[in-house]
Amino acid sequence: MTYFEDKVKGVEPAGQEKSGAPAANAELQRKQNGRWVVAWKAPLTNDVAPVDAIIRNDGAYFVTFDDWHSLGHGPNAVVIYGSEGERIARLALVDIVPANYIEVLPHSVSSIHWRGDPRFSRDGKHVVIPVPIPSEKFSTPRTVDLAISLADGSVSPLDSAAWKKAVEATSLVRTARMAEARAVREAFFAPLLGPRENTQRHWHIYLREAVARLIGDGNTPSTTVLRSPGEPDYAVSESWIREALLEPTGDKVALATLSESNLARTLAKIAPKITPDSLSQTTIFVAVSDKYWSDIVAAMRPTGAKLVQLNPSIPLEQRQERIERRYGSSAAGLLQSDQGVLGHPAGSVALLAGVLCIFLAGFWMACRRYRRPS
């Protein structure tokens, strides 16, 4: 923990005691006449430790890979040491694969997952690293082997044709991800309606976004979706609704369903089991049309809950502070770039007008959206 605290504060070497070594050290030992003898001992370029290391059988080369807790980042993606511990080559990831290739590799919060398990080549002159081939699929990716010379750190593919295809795949994946990001951005700016697909996943997404547009980020409620009665695993979803109301984990709950009529019946069945006024400090957002709203209000009134209707057919405008938080205060300029978020002049004007209308029509829209029981 001290290591991360020091990194945040800019203290180097991070996480080290005053009397500790400023960097990682390595020691190579050989077995001679039944005894282990130190062949060399030298500092490594890693401030904490490498993630992986391999040594050639004759001890002539020792190779480390990446820095602890930051795979793929920094200057130590691959470091080659010689027979006396001397450093021969030090490569950052950008020295091994192009920057646009790195961009589409799998990323986590702290790491770039750029390689499989390294090995030495059969002739012992190279270290071979399997590198994932970029793909939009979430299955285990295929890999292409890159070879790094132990003598000087130069990089070359084992199969040039395979590497060419991998690079071509990078361009395709990058284009697809840019299109996906553009679509996400468009949806973020556009008025929100109920999901086009009546699936549990899409209703969860709708609930989270709808509530955020109403009350802002930072206080996201639990979201629960009631399945259709005919589904084999329906019963467990009804128990989720019951738990959300009888044992709420916070002061806000959001409900949706694949069958509105069934949600109204289910709430009417569960409500009598809830202690009167026990939900007086709870706000319940319910995604349901006008047709069933009055039934739900009547059923839930004894609980004391504050009910807020999310009518899927009434558009919810985006909040200005969310636009600024995600895209900066110059969001209007963002809309104008590249012919606007929608990619054409008419779409740009429409979106910009929609953003400005947040201020002009906010109260009027709120009156339409917020329907609370009297």
Side-chain angles (χ1 to χ4, degrees):
M1 192 65 182
T2 303
Y3 172 83
F4 299 107
E5 292 173 350
D6 285 351
K7 281 292 186 183
V8 171
K9 296 175 183 177
V11 177
E12 296 293 346
Q16 295 284 6
E17 297 181 357
K18 291 182 178 180
S19 59
N25 286 276
E27 181 177 292
L28 176 65
Q29 297 184 357
R30 297 177 183 274
K31 195 171 186 179
Q32 297 178 355
N33 301 321
R35 295 178 57 193
W36 288 103
V37 178
V38 176
W40 59 261
K41 183 176 182 179
L44 301 179
T45 58
N46 310 87
D47 59 350
V48 177
V51 175
D52 292 300
I54 58 176
I55 186 168
R56 208 170 72 174
N57 287 340
D58 60 1
Y61 292 101
F62 173 69
V63 188
T64 65
F65 303 89
D66 297 299
D67 278 301
W68 174 76
H69 208 273
S70 55
L71 193 81
H73 294 287
N76 301 316
V78 176
V79 184
I80 302 171
Y81 299 87
S83 59
E84 300 298 326
E86 75 281 11
R87 192 174 74 198
I88 295 173
R90 185 186 192 190
L91 291 80
L93 185 53
V94 73
D95 300 320
I96 302 170
V97 297
N100 62 342
Y101 199 102
I102 297 172
E103 182 182 338
V104 296
L105 287 171
H107 285 60
S108 65
V109 173
S110 63
S111 298
I112 303 170
H113 300 280
W114 70 276
R115 62 177 176 83
D117 294 331
R119 65 188 188 276
F120 288 108
S121 60
R122 290 183 179 180
D123 62 10
K125 295 181 179 181
H126 297 82
V127 60
V128 179
I129 305 174
V131 176
I133 299 173
S135 172
E136 286 300 286
K137 298 179 180 179
F138 291 99
S139 57
T140 302
R142 295 179 297 116
T143 60
V144 58
D145 287 334
L146 294 181
I148 300 178
S149 170
L150 295 171
D152 59 12
S154 58
V155 182
S156 60
L158 285 187
D159 184 333
S160 297
W163 175 242
K164 182 180 179 181
K165 289 182 179 179
V167 172
E168 290 171 352
T170 298
S171 298
L172 294 175
V173 171
R174 189 171 184 273
T175 299
R177 290 187 183 178
M178 288 177 64
E180 181 181 356
R182 191 177 300 112
V184 169
R185 189 172 63 177
E186 290 173 12
F188 185 80
F189 278 90
L192 178 70
L193 291 168
R196 294 180 180 179
E197 297 182 45
N198 189 33
T199 68
Q200 190 173 333
R201 173 177 172 271
H202 285 86
W203 278 109
H204 276 295
I205 294 172
Y206 171 78
L207 286 175
R208 286 191 291 269
E209 180 64 17
V211 173
R213 292 192 180 204
L214 289 183
I215 65 174
D217 295 314
N219 198 8
T220 306
S222 63
T223 60
T224 306
V225 178
L226 183 66
R227 294 167 176 163
S228 295
E231 296 183 29
D233 50 1
Y234 164 75
V236 67
S237 71
E238 190 170 303
S239 71
W240 295 338
I241 298 289
R242 188 180 303 108
E243 290 172 7
L245 298 176
L246 293 174
E247 303 174 13
T249 57
D251 61 356
K252 294 178 179 63
V253 175
L255 306 178
T257 180
L258 305 188
S259 169
E260 289 191 349
S261 61
N262 184 54
L263 178 61
R265 289 194 299 270
T266 300
L267 292 179
K269 181 170 59 175
I270 295 174
K273 301 177 183 178
I274 302 173
T275 303
D277 293 323
S278 62
L279 296 180
S280 60
Q281 301 302 311
T282 302
T283 300
I284 302 177
F285 300 87
V286 187
V288 69
S289 64
D290 290 341
K291 181 177 181 180
Y292 297 99
W293 178 242
S294 59
D295 293 339
I296 291 174
V297 169
M300 296 298 294
R301 181 174 284 112
T303 70
K306 300 174 184 178
L307 299 180
V308 178
Q309 181 187 14
L310 302 173
N311 191 329
S313 64
I314 296 180
L316 289 167
E317 302 294 336
Q318 188 56 271
R319 297 174 71 89
Q320 181 67 17
E321 67 264 26
R322 297 186 78 219
I323 294 174
E324 293 180 357
R325 185 178 298 113
R326 181 172 295 192
Y327 295 107
S329 58
S330 59
L334 176 68
L335 290 175
Q336 294 171 356
S337 66
D338 275 344
Q339 301 261 345
V341 173
L342 288 180
H344 54 81
S348 177
V349 172
L351 272 182
L352 184 55
V355 172
L356 295 176
C357 282
I358 292 174
F359 296 104
L360 301 176
F363 179 75
W364 179 76
M365 290 299 296
C367 290
R368 293 184 64 199
R369 296 191 210 105
Y370 294 11
R371 298 188 55 182
R372 300 173 184 255
S374 57

